[in-house]
Amino acid sequence: MSPKRLLAGRPEMQIGATVFAGFVVFLGIIIAWLEVTPIEGQKGICRMAEAASGKEDEFRSTNQTAFVVGHTGETGRALVEELVNRNIFQKLLLIGRRELNYEGEKYSKLEQKVVDYEKLADDHADLFKGHNVGFCCLGTTRGKSGAEGFKRVDHDYVMMTAKLAKEGGCGHFLLQSSQGANKDSSFLYTKVKGQVDAECAELGFEKLSIFRPGVLMVDRKESRPGEWFARKMLTPLKYFAPTVMTCPVETVAKAMVNAVLSPSDKPAEIYENKAVHLLAKGKSC
Ligand SMILES: NC(=O)c1ccc[n+]([C@@H]2O[C@H](COP(=O)([O-])OP(=O)(O)OC[C@H]3O[C@@H](n4cnc5c(N)ncnc54)[C@H](OP(=O)(O)O)[C@@H]3O)[C@@H](O)[C@H]2O)c1
């Protein structure tokens, strides 16, 4: 029997289908509205994005160095690639619990150090000394590490990194947080992210840039079924409303580099998902 004939005989199914269709249309309207509605400070972010474009040579001439923590992850790898391609630092120190293999002349300014995060302050504080800029893309999941393990990495390790960076003289700290971060949230993930954002702000960096991307769009090497499912469900949004809930890791990386080249006037700036997209656009913002 065709679905039409099946529905024809069942009024309650017809009503259900109509309600569902109405809900989908309503959701579509909300998402479209979110996509086209400008965010607060949009013009300023676009000015920053435009100013960043073509500023690489000028910045390179200032001979700055940076460190990246979490460089082996999906965003971290995209960030290293972006930094290497734009070649803005005199030296780039990659700090992590393992090394990656980089071959080729363009990676010649990279140096890698393997650390034990449990002994970060005691044994590795020197690594954080004297950098102008620090990037942090560290993080795990509750599924992978349990609730305590998640807090240890996403809060404790990140805060240890931020404190060492501040003590080491880092002038601009760039932190990858998450959409929905809120220290008062009742969800562990968003609560921890919000707490870290707030605690980093209290450290008093000369410049602090916090990035809150939505669901990261990337062909993740590691198997994370929940995240995979969310990505599949959100794939249409990537095309029709790209700045609402999703963010490719390359976009986060571009936004971070543009925030270094053309920082905000404010000492601490939070870039929500749409702002991350705008900042990443450069001249075409
Ligand atoms: N997944 C999303 O959709 C999403 C959305 C918004 C924000 N975020 C946040 O963005 C950040 C980066 O996400 P991502 O997906 O790019 O990260 P990822 O691929 O999971 O990589 C995380 C990084 O943290 C390191 N790490 C994890 N557990 C560790 C531990 N116990 N000890 C030392 N290092 C550890 C990893 O090292 P190894 O490579 O050695 O494991 C890797 O360098 C995270 O804070 C995440 O919460 C994620």
Side-chain angles (χ1 to χ4, degrees), residues 202-213:
E202 281 167 16
L203 292 179
F205 283 102
E206 212 175 296
K207 290 264 176 233
L208 171 68
S209 301
I210 295 174
F211 298 81
R212 290 182 174 169

PDB file of all heavy atoms in Angstrom, residues 202-213:
ATOM      1  N   GLU A 202      40.240  35.702  34.595  1.00  0.00           N
ATOM      2  CA  GLU A 202      40.742  36.238  35.879  1.00  0.00           C
ATOM      3  C   GLU A 202      42.273  36.291  35.928  1.00  0.00           C
ATOM      4  O   GLU A 202      42.841  36.981  36.762  1.00  0.00           O
ATOM      5  CB  GLU A 202      40.236  35.374  37.042  1.00  0.00           C
ATOM      6  CG  GLU A 202      38.792  35.683  37.407  1.00  0.00           C
ATOM      7  CD  GLU A 202      38.198  34.630  38.319  1.00  0.00           C
ATOM      8  OE1 GLU A 202      38.960  33.843  38.908  1.00  0.00           O
ATOM      9  OE2 GLU A 202      36.957  34.591  38.419  1.00  0.00           O
ATOM     10  N   LEU A 203      42.934  35.543  35.069  1.00  0.00           N
ATOM     11  CA  LEU A 203      44.401  35.532  35.113  1.00  0.00           C
ATOM     12  C   LEU A 203      45.006  36.861  34.647  1.00  0.00           C
ATOM     13  O   LEU A 203      46.157  37.158  34.925  1.00  0.00           O
ATOM     14  CB  LEU A 203      44.961  34.393  34.257  1.00  0.00           C
ATOM     15  CG  LEU A 203      44.697  32.966  34.772  1.00  0.00           C
ATOM     16  CD1 LEU A 203      45.278  31.939  33.808  1.00  0.00           C
ATOM     17  CD2 LEU A 203      45.286  32.771  36.163  1.00  0.00           C
ATOM     18  N   GLY A 204      44.220  37.627  33.909  1.00  0.00           N
ATOM     19  CA  GLY A 204      44.676  38.969  33.523  1.00  0.00           C
ATOM     20  C   GLY A 204      45.712  38.988  32.407  1.00  0.00           C
ATOM     21  O   GLY A 204      46.668  39.765  32.473  1.00  0.00           O
ATOM     22  N   PHE A 205      45.506  38.171  31.397  1.00  0.00           N
ATOM     23  CA  PHE A 205      46.386  38.247  30.219  1.00  0.00           C
ATOM     24  C   PHE A 205      46.254  39.626  29.577  1.00  0.00           C
ATOM     25  O   PHE A 205      45.175  40.226  29.603  1.00  0.00           O
ATOM     26  CB  PHE A 205      45.986  37.201  29.177  1.00  0.00           C
ATOM     27  CG  PHE A 205      46.419  35.807  29.487  1.00  0.00           C
ATOM     28  CD1 PHE A 205      45.521  34.877  29.998  1.00  0.00           C
ATOM     29  CD2 PHE A 205      47.732  35.417  29.276  1.00  0.00           C
ATOM     30  CE1 PHE A 205      45.917  33.585  30.286  1.00  0.00           C
ATOM     31  CE2 PHE A 205      48.145  34.130  29.568  1.00  0.00           C
ATOM     32  CZ  PHE A 205      47.241  33.211  30.074  1.00  0.00           C
ATOM     33  N   GLU A 206      47.329  40.083  28.979  1.00  0.00           N
ATOM     34  CA  GLU A 206      47.261  41.336  28.205  1.00  0.00           C
ATOM     35  C   GLU A 206      46.160  41.223  27.150  1.00  0.00           C
ATOM     36  O   GLU A 206      45.357  42.111  26.962  1.00  0.00           O
ATOM     37  CB  GLU A 206      48.608  41.510  27.515  1.00  0.00           C
ATOM     38  CG  GLU A 206      49.086  42.904  27.308  1.00  0.00           C
ATOM     39  CD  GLU A 206      50.481  42.844  26.737  1.00  0.00           C
ATOM     40  OE1 GLU A 206      51.405  42.349  27.438  1.00  0.00           O
ATOM     41  OE2 GLU A 206      50.624  43.245  25.571  1.00  0.00           O
ATOM     42  N   LYS A 207      46.159  40.059  26.462  1.00  0.00           N
ATOM     43  CA  LYS A 207      45.086  39.746  25.502  1.00  0.00           C
ATOM     44  C   LYS A 207      44.657  38.291  25.724  1.00  0.00           C
ATOM     45  O   LYS A 207      45.505  37.399  25.823  1.00  0.00           O
ATOM     46  CB  LYS A 207      45.567  39.845  24.050  1.00  0.00           C
ATOM     47  CG  LYS A 207      45.848  41.246  23.582  1.00  0.00           C
ATOM     48  CD  LYS A 207      44.665  41.850  22.849  1.00  0.00           C
ATOM     49  CE  LYS A 207      44.960  43.304  22.492  1.00  0.00           C
ATOM     50  NZ  LYS A 207      43.954  44.233  22.933  1.00  0.00           N
ATOM     51  N   LEU A 208      43.348  38.084  25.760  1.00  0.00           N
ATOM     52  CA  LEU A 208      42.801  36.728  25.857  1.00  0.00           C
ATOM     53  C   LEU A 208      41.720  36.594  24.789  1.00  0.00           C
ATOM     54  O   LEU A 208      40.809  37.422  24.721  1.00  0.00           O
ATOM     55  CB  LEU A 208      42.195  36.505  27.254  1.00  0.00           C
ATOM     56  CG  LEU A 208      41.403  35.215  27.444  1.00  0.00           C
ATOM     57  CD1 LEU A 208      42.325  33.988  27.378  1.00  0.00           C
ATOM     58  CD2 LEU A 208      40.669  35.210  28.798  1.00  0.00           C
ATOM     59  N   SER A 209      41.857  35.571  23.955  1.00  0.00           N
ATOM     60  CA  SER A 209      40.839  35.320  22.928  1.00  0.00           C
ATOM     61  C   SER A 209      40.259  33.935  23.162  1.00  0.00           C
ATOM     62  O   SER A 209      40.995  32.942  23.144  1.00  0.00           O
ATOM     63  CB  SER A 209      41.442  35.377  21.526  1.00  0.00           C
ATOM     64  OG  SER A 209      42.026  36.640  21.302  1.00  0.00           O
ATOM     65  N   ILE A 210      38.959  33.887  23.380  1.00  0.00           N
ATOM     66  CA  ILE A 210      38.284  32.607  23.644  1.00  0.00           C
ATOM     67  C   ILE A 210      37.386  32.292  22.456  1.00  0.00           C
ATOM     68  O   ILE A 210      36.574  33.136  22.038  1.00  0.00           O
ATOM     69  CB  ILE A 210      37.467  32.693  24.949  1.00  0.00           C
ATOM     70  CG1 ILE A 210      38.411  32.898  26.142  1.00  0.00           C
ATOM     71  CG2 ILE A 210      36.617  31.447  25.149  1.00  0.00           C
ATOM     72  CD1 ILE A 210      37.708  33.131  27.469  1.00  0.00           C
ATOM     73  N   PHE A 211      37.525  31.088  21.930  1.00  0.00           N
ATOM     74  CA  PHE A 211      36.770  30.679  20.743  1.00  0.00           C
ATOM     75  C   PHE A 211      35.748  29.632  21.151  1.00  0.00           C
ATOM     76  O   PHE A 211      36.108  28.637  21.775  1.00  0.00           O
ATOM     77  CB  PHE A 211      37.725  30.123  19.669  1.00  0.00           C
ATOM     78  CG  PHE A 211      38.703  31.158  19.216  1.00  0.00           C
ATOM     79  CD1 PHE A 211      39.840  31.439  19.961  1.00  0.00           C
ATOM     80  CD2 PHE A 211      38.452  31.905  18.086  1.00  0.00           C
ATOM     81  CE1 PHE A 211      40.716  32.439  19.575  1.00  0.00           C
ATOM     82  CE2 PHE A 211      39.322  32.920  17.694  1.00  0.00           C
ATOM     83  CZ  PHE A 211      40.456  33.186  18.440  1.00  0.00           C
ATOM     84  N   ARG A 212      34.510  29.870  20.787  1.00  0.00           N
ATOM     85  CA  ARG A 212      33.442  28.938  21.166  1.00  0.00           C
ATOM     86  C   ARG A 212      32.753  28.378  19.920  1.00  0.00           C
ATOM     87  O   ARG A 212      31.609  28.752  19.602  1.00  0.00           O
ATOM     88  CB  ARG A 212      32.423  29.645  22.051  1.00  0.00           C
ATOM     89  CG  ARG A 212      32.967  29.973  23.439  1.00  0.00           C
ATOM     90  CD  ARG A 212      31.888  30.634  24.263  1.00  0.00           C
ATOM     91  NE  ARG A 212      32.303  30.848  25.640  1.00  0.00           N
ATOM     92  CZ  ARG A 212      31.615  31.601  26.500  1.00  0.00           C
ATOM     93  NH1 ARG A 212      30.496  32.186  26.119  1.00  0.00           N
ATOM     94  NH2 ARG A 212      32.039  31.755  27.738  1.00  0.00           N
ATOM     95  N   PRO A 213      33.437  27.482  19.218  1.00  0.00           N
ATOM     96  CA  PRO A 213      32.830  26.926  18.005  1.00  0.00           C
ATOM     97  C   PRO A 213      31.694  25.961  18.328  1.00  0.00           C
ATOM     98  O   PRO A 213      31.638  25.409  19.423  1.00  0.00           O
ATOM     99  CB  PRO A 213      33.996  26.185  17.341  1.00  0.00           C
ATOM    100  CG  PRO A 213      34.895  25.814  18.474  1.00  0.00           C
ATOM    101  CD  PRO A 213      34.755  26.912  19.501  1.00  0.00           C
TER     102      PRO A 213
END
